[in-house]
Amino acid sequence: MKRIYIALLVLTFSGLQAQIHEIGVFAGGANYIGEVGKTNYINPNEPVFGFLYKWNRSPRHSYRFAFNWGKISANDLDSDVPGRQRRGNRFENSVRELAVGMEFNFFEFDLHEMDRQFTPYVFTGLTYTFYDELYTVNRETRTDKSSSTLAIPMVVGIKTNIADHWILGFEVGARYTFSDNLDGSQPKNNRYAALRYGNLESNDWYVFTGVTLTYTFGNKPCFCAD
């Protein structure tokens, strides 16, 4: 049994050494989808920035870890919905997220190939999002306390190698949150229960749209079959 454990450790360590890694940055815009403001799905109006790391397990998939931070905001006066325009609410909120999951390439993307490559990709997993609990009084949004929620990221993008060790990507990623109060419409605190409004059956979303730039490093992996 001891020999089996040693063999497993050796294989695991060898596998880690054989991987190739990516580390880089994300920059773009954020928008919110919910009870306040416009109903556009992709409408970046606030900045967002982040860092990401990828551990490539094959030319088709990798494990991805990221930290992003930015702001979301909306104003009913910008909406095309008459009811929202009459209501006239608005809000701003900060969001900070930790995300982990798997990225899948539609085409093989070998980071050691010098020829130009490109592939569409998708990413999903789990996100832990930090935000402020809000409530709205007379069209003025106020902060109650800091809070957090889980979210499911659904990201689509396209990437290409632009130079040796450098990968450029463009992506749009919606996050379905398990909160309905990024906008101050459904405060959790029962003190503000009378101030709640909007659709109780639909949680809030936010969307990050932008570019990624990553640098690749690590030993050349063997993606061949055993």
Side-chain angles (χ1 to χ4, degrees), residues 18 47 77 93 112-113 133 181-182 200 205 209 215 226:
L77 298 181
N93 208 337
H112 292 286
E113 289 290 335
E133 277 285 318
N181 196 42
L182 299 184
L200 299 177
W205 297 66
T209 304
Y215 178 79
D226 292 335

Side-chain angles (χ1 to χ4, degrees), residues 133 144-145 186-193 196:
E133 277 285 318
D144 182 20
K145 60 180 180 180
Q186 297 292 326
K188 294 179 182 178
N189 194 328
N190 288 328
R191 292 174 54 193
Y192 310 117
R196 294 169 184 164

